[in-house]
Amino acid sequence: MKKALFALVVCPALLACSTTVGEPEVPERGTTPGYACAAENLQSFVGQSVNEENGADALKQSGAKTLRWIAPRSAITMDFRQDRLNIEYDDAMIITRIYCG
């Protein structure tokens, strides 16, 4: 009985003394803080060959976090991600389209 009474008196007092930390900010779905894709200045890659170097350069210039290569006739998800760069290419492995999303 004394232990229960002690717990009822002491525990609320200890909680009153504790500090609370604000809730961490939850990023918007489809974003990664610090990354935002911009593909307007990347259209010079259209017509170039698909290779690791072009992909890395385009990703770096875009400011995106991830790169998604899209092969001809591929099924892809339609979710929009502000932090993703998409590069479509044809059967000849030539870049045909570059965009964010």
Side-chain angles (χ1 to χ4, degrees), residues 47-59:
Q48 294 188 23
S49 298
V50 170
N51 59 47
E52 187 176 338
E53 184 179 326
N54 282 339
D57 288 346
L59 183 62

Side-chain angles (χ1 to χ4, degrees), residues 20-55:
T20 58
V21 177
E23 291 291 320
E25 186 176 324
V26 178
E28 182 181 332
R29 184 178 180 158
T31 65
T32 302
Y35 294 93
C37 181
E40 296 80 25
N41 297 325
L42 302 177
Q43 299 311 307
S44 61
F45 286 96
V46 174
Q48 294 188 23
S49 298
V50 170
N51 59 47
E52 187 176 338
E53 184 179 326
N54 282 339

